[in-house]
Amino acid sequence: MVQIEQDILAKNNAYADANRKEWKARGLFAANLVSSPGSGKTTLLVETIGRLAGRHPLAVIEGDQQTSNDAERIRATGAQAIQVNTGKGCHLDAHMVGHAFERLDLAQGGLLLIENVGNLVCPAEFDLGEAHKVVILSVTEGEDKPLKYPNMFAASDLMLLTKVDLLPHLDFDVAKCLDYARRVNPKIEVLQVSAKSGEGMDGWLAWLEQGVAAAKH
Amino acid sequence: MSLAEGVLQIIEDHARTNGFARVKTVWLEIGALSGVETESMRFCFDAVTRGSVAEGAALEIVAVPGSSWCMQCGVSVPVAERYDPCPRCGGYQLQVQGGTEMRVKELEVE
């Protein structure tokens, strides 16, 4: 018999700790954006980058199983972006992200936005070294997603409810959705935003700016 | 699948350091609130261990029940799912305490 007593994710967690240490030394604020496919993460990022208008050094790591479409959309804004293709994998891991980061040239005190693979299951378990996970849920999805994918909502510090400009056309029950999210995570912060109409974007930018300011030293 | 690969990686690391050539049984500790579905873990484990030191090994999964601290009641209560209310007060002011484990506990080797 061999006693092991080792966390299955120990290896990933060690890489995540190394990333966290590296980013802390550089005074960077890193956020890991997670959601289902099609929630509008990339659109939201493009709009966010536009509104930040070069106020902070910024870089994006894009995770998708295939293609570099998303990184190209980000680069079109003028921001630097690295695409990571996970191939058969359904999530980014801390090792891939650490390597992608090495290829970026992000100045001290900057903002690192990591767009994870669209998947509400596995990315919940993989720490990348980020300061916060931000879960994005669009109002065109079901309001019970926090109950269906509780681990992701439990692992996230902020929930962005997106595409709220569409609410008048939908039966989406916002209050119910927030109640479900708080059942799995009583501490989760929530912001309602629309990249299209601009509603709530100020609050989201303020949240990012606060993170950037806190990470600087 | 990545989690099963994580298990295999841990086994292979120990095979190198402890010098064993075959694993007969693997004990995992899996919490009820963790992201692991035991049936898919079994399926993926069989798939990823093919051709490795753990090929054909029995997988014993020790289930750890979920428990949360209810901030209203000030006690630890059992929960089956993350979205379950406190069984005493019906509230959701719960902080998960146990049941998130995903660990390789021990190996029977030869």
Side-chain angles (χ1 to χ4, degrees):
Chain A
M1 295 297 250
V2 183
Q3 294 289 323
I4 307 279
E5 296 295 344
Q6 209 172 333
D7 198 296
I8 295 175
L9 290 173
K11 222 163 203 164
N12 181 73
N13 292 343
Y15 283 117
D17 287 343
N19 289 348
R20 189 168 282 120
K21 218 169 138 190
E22 168 85 16
W23 298 340
K24 190 175 178 210
R26 293 168 181 253
L28 301 179
F29 178 59
N32 177 2
L33 278 63
V34 292
S35 80
S36 314
S39 66
K41 283 194 298 296
T42 312
T43 304
L44 181 77
L45 274 184
V46 167
E47 185 62 25
T48 303
I49 294 165
R51 283 172 184 258
L52 283 171
R55 279 206 290 272
H56 310 283
L58 183 147
V60 177
I61 296 176
E62 281 287 340
D64 278 301
Q65 278 199 303
Q66 296 297 346
T67 82
S68 57
N69 295 354
D70 282 359
E72 282 157 23
R73 281 176 68 189
I74 300 292
R75 281 187 211 119
T77 68
Q80 50 174 334
I82 296 267
Q83 180 80 46
V84 178
N85 284 136
T86 55
K88 289 183 195 126
C90 55
H91 56 269
L92 290 172
D93 65 41
H95 186 236
M96 299 171 186
V97 168
H99 275 304
F101 180 75
E102 284 169 10
R103 291 160 55 204
L104 289 167
D105 178 25
L106 185 55
Q108 196 87 15
L111 173 60
L112 177 63
L113 295 169
I114 305 165
E115 182 181 335
N116 218 313
V117 179
N119 171 1
L120 282 176
V121 186
C122 308
E125 311 296 337
F126 287 80
D127 182 9
L128 305 179
E130 72 275 358
H132 299 286
K133 278 193 181 70
V134 176
V135 63
I136 297 170
L137 177 62
S138 61
V139 297
T140 50
E141 302 170 55
E143 59 236 337
D144 57 351
K145 276 220 169 140
L147 299 187
K148 287 182 172 164
Y149 303 95
N151 289 29
M152 183 59 92
F153 288 82
S156 299
D157 298 309
L158 173 67
M159 168 169 129
L160 291 179
L161 192 62
T162 58
K163 305 188 188 175
V164 291
D165 57 294
L166 295 176
L167 279 173
H169 313 290
L170 303 167
D171 294 327
F172 190 92
D173 187 335
V174 173
K176 211 179 217 174
C177 177
L178 303 192
D179 175 51
Y180 288 155
R182 289 186 177 125
R183 282 190 196 182
V184 297
N185 183 352
K187 290 190 200 144
I188 199 163
E189 267 187 85
V190 180
L191 294 171
Q192 299 184 35
V193 302
S194 164
K196 200 159 186 186
S197 71
E199 188 183 338
M201 288 297 287
D202 288 347
W204 161 232
L205 291 187
W207 187 89
L208 287 173
E209 302 251 9
Q210 219 169 39
V212 170
K216 267 188 200 163
H217 36 85
Chain B
M1 186 64 97
S2 311
L3 295 176
E5 281 167 357
V7 172
L8 178 61
Q9 234 167 30
I10 291 173
I11 294 171
E12 286 181 332
D13 287 350
H14 283 271
R16 266 190 297 275
T17 49
N18 293 336
F20 53 81
R22 206 173 93 78
V23 180
K24 286 171 73 180
T25 314
V26 179
W27 276 270
L28 300 184
E29 200 173 44
I30 303 293
L33 307 179
S34 76
V36 180
E37 196 57 57
T38 50
E39 279 322 301
S40 29
M41 175 56 94
R42 284 184 195 286
F43 179 83
C44 295
F45 180 79
D46 286 343
V48 303
T49 52
R50 249 169 243 158
S52 76
V53 291
E55 176 159 4
L59 190 61
E60 295 286 341
I61 297 184
V62 183
V64 184
S67 68
S68 285
W69 180 259
C70 176
M71 293 176 230
Q72 305 287 329
C73 303
V75 292
S76 183
V77 293
V79 288
E81 300 286 354
R82 278 191 191 265
Y83 49 78
D84 277 350
C86 167
R88 289 163 60 106
C89 71
Y92 290 97
Q93 292 295 309
L94 299 172
Q95 206 146 32
V96 172
Q97 281 184 313
T100 59
E101 298 79 356
M102 298 192 276
R103 294 171 69 79
V104 182
K105 261 187 86 66
E106 54 184 348
L107 306 175
E108 185 185 8
V109 302
E110 55 179 28

